[in-house]
């Protein structure tokens, strides 16, 4: 059965989502960087009876429209979740997150643990503090360097090569950087997504405290 396509409010903006299933429990699914909501469609047959699944296109992904200079904030995220709880008349939601989407799930856990039923994280971002990401998106010097790196990647690619050679950048981060810096499309996506998602950075200690609570 084809998923139902819809838009849901997220603060002043809207995010696109795909909906399938008719179960009484609500599952919110968040994809990873460079993916879209359809990545979870193979799970439909397994979940559709028990859950109503909303797979959400994050800012600058899939069919979501998002202003280039507008950040996706924690307030946007929690307001969206509360609205969906009211719309579907549930007290708790379950969460499914892959990579960057896992960081979104962790932020929801931190902010509203009393609203969570179950959580499944796959290769989740946000389990530890990413100092590179923090520097490039949350400091003035880092934001300037980040933009320069994406607009003039030649010199910085050599720096990344050197950092990998001396083991200051791990293999997974090196692969990510090289993949998205080598094409105009990849650089443009990175330039929009990283700043937009920089406010969704839950402190691991607070997430642990929320889970224990």
């Amino acid at each position: 059965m084809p998923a139902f396509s819809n838009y849901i409010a997220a603060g002043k903006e809207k995010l696109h989502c795909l909906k399938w299933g008719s179960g009484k429990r609500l599952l919110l699914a968040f994809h990873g960087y460079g993916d879209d909501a359809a990545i979870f469609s193979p799970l439909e047959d397994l979940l559709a009876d028990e859950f109503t699944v909303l797979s959400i296109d994050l800012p600058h992904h899939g069919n979501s429209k998002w202003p280039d200079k507008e950040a996706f904030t924690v307030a946007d995220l929690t307001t969206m979740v509360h609205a969906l709880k009211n719309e579907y008349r549930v007290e708790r939601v379950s969460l499914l997150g892959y990579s960057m989407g896992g960081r979104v799930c962790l932020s929801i856990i931190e902010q509203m643990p009393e609203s969570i039923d179950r959580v499944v994280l796959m290769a989740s971002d946000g389990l530890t503090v990413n100092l590179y990401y923090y520097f490039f998106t949350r400091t003035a010097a880092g934001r300037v360097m980040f933009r320069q790196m994406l607009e003039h990647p030649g010199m910085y690619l050599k720096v990344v090569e050197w950092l990998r050679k001396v083991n200051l950048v791990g293999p997974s981060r090196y692969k990510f950087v090289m993949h998205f810096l080598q094409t105009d499309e990849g650089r443009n996506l990175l330039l929009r997504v990283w700043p937009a998602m920089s406010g969704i950075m839950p402190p691991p200690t607070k997430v642990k405290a929320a889970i224990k609570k």
Side-chain angles (χ1 to χ4, degrees):
M1 181 177 179
F4 176 72
S5 176
N6 194 19
Y7 282 86
I8 55 179
K12 297 180 295 182
E13 308 299 333
K14 292 184 177 181
L15 294 176
H16 175 259
C17 74
L18 296 176
K19 172 186 173 183
W20 61 80
S22 56
K24 295 181 179 180
R25 301 168 68 184
L26 181 62
L27 173 64
L28 306 181
F30 300 93
H31 60 78
Y33 182 92
D35 295 316
D36 59 42
I39 193 174
F40 294 116
S41 59
L43 299 178
E44 178 179 0
D45 291 341
L46 299 173
L47 301 176
D49 292 336
E50 184 178 359
F51 290 93
T52 295
V53 181
L54 299 181
S55 186
I56 298 168
D57 281 328
L58 292 170
H60 305 296
H61 289 80
N63 290 318
S64 286
K65 308 294 189 297
W66 198 266
D68 285 348
K69 295 184 179 181
E70 189 78 24
F72 181 48
T73 67
V74 171
D76 295 335
L77 177 61
T78 55
T79 299
M80 179 182 74
V81 175
H82 280 301
L84 292 173
K85 285 176 56 184
N86 291 334
E87 180 180 350
Y88 288 90
R89 299 180 181 179
V90 296
E91 293 186 3
R92 294 174 179 265
V93 300
S94 291
L95 303 174
L96 173 61
Y98 168 61
S99 187
M100 183 176 70
R103 176 153 52 96
V104 176
C105 293
L106 293 172
S107 189
I108 297 172
I109 293 170
E110 178 210 356
Q111 294 294 318
M112 42 196 303
E114 71 286 348
S115 297
I116 307 303
D117 184 8
R118 298 180 183 180
V119 181
V120 175
L121 303 177
M122 299 178 289
S124 180
D125 189 15
L127 295 174
T128 59
V129 176
N130 185 333
L131 295 178
Y132 290 106
Y133 183 69
Y134 185 93
F135 173 73
F136 284 130
T137 62
R138 302 289 285 272
T139 69
R143 286 192 289 267
V144 171
M145 185 179 295
F146 178 66
R147 179 169 288 277
Q148 289 179 342
M149 182 172 63
L150 295 179
E151 292 178 348
H152 310 284
M155 181 183 70
Y156 290 95
L157 286 172
K158 294 179 181 178
V159 174
V160 174
E161 291 279 8
W162 179 80
L163 290 173
R164 177 69 191 106
K165 187 176 181 180
V166 298
N167 291 319
L168 291 177
V169 171
S172 61
R173 287 178 181 168
Y174 170 78
K175 182 178 179 180
F176 176 89
V177 170
M178 296 304 289
H179 176 72
F180 287 102
L181 281 186
Q182 289 180 328
T183 67
D184 289 340
E185 182 181 4
R187 291 191 294 271
N188 288 334
L189 181 63
L190 200 59
L191 187 60
R192 288 178 292 152
V193 173
W194 269 27
M197 297 297 295
S198 63
I200 309 298
M201 197 182 298
T205 54
K206 291 187 177 181
V207 174
K208 291 178 182 178
I211 291 173
K212 289 180 180 179
K213 179 181 178 181

